[in-house]
Amino acid sequence: MAYLLKMNVCVSLPAASSHKKKNKKKIKQPPSTSLSVHSGFLCCAHHEVMVAGLAMLGIGKEKNKDAMVSVLVIGLGGGGLPQFLRDFVPGVSVEVVELDPVVLEVAKEWFHFRPDDHLTVTLGDGLERICTLEKDGGGDAAPANAVAKS
């Protein structure tokens, strides 16, 4: 996890895997109706660290229970982190910025991602959104979930 020079901004950059599968055909199968994603489980260690960082800032603590906090997540993936934040961190409003509309559709269809009033998705460039928030003076905390590509 790397910290930017801006207060309350956490950025994680998990290493991209160089392991490539050879001659494996991907078979598209419809999502199983008997399986579901549990929003109370963070499957990535860097997501756990990001949530711990919010706790270190006092977000979700008893003394701040009435304070609303805006969290910006750059990159949706399967939607596990933003749904966890919405469901388990009190007083949080989560905005996700995702560049690729297909990622949003996959998250909804395969990972049961469900945005609502406290969890919104904006399709666009995450860096542009951060610059806009910086210019407007908005936003409280921004865990950015980016994958480095080689």
Side-chain angles (χ1 to χ4, degrees), residues 101-118:
V102 174
V103 172
L104 176 59
E105 293 308 312
V106 168
K108 287 179 176 179
E109 182 179 341
W110 291 81
F111 297 99
H112 308 287
F113 175 73
R114 298 292 175 254
D116 60 22
D117 292 341
H118 298 285

Side-chain angles (χ1 to χ4, degrees), residues 45-73:
H46 66 282
H47 287 173
E48 293 173 1
V49 172
M50 294 162 83
V51 172
L54 292 175
M56 289 173 56
L57 295 171
I59 297 170
K61 300 250 179 167
E62 183 65 30
K63 66 179 181 175
N64 298 327
K65 68 178 180 176
D66 295 329
M68 286 299 294
V69 176
S70 298
V71 176
L72 177 65
V73 178

Side-chain angles (χ1 to χ4, degrees), residues 12 15 26 31 34 38 40 57 75 78 81 87 90 96 110 123 143:
S12 69
K26 294 183 180 179
S34 63
H38 188 285
L57 295 171
L81 175 63
D87 296 345
V96 179
W110 291 81
L123 291 173

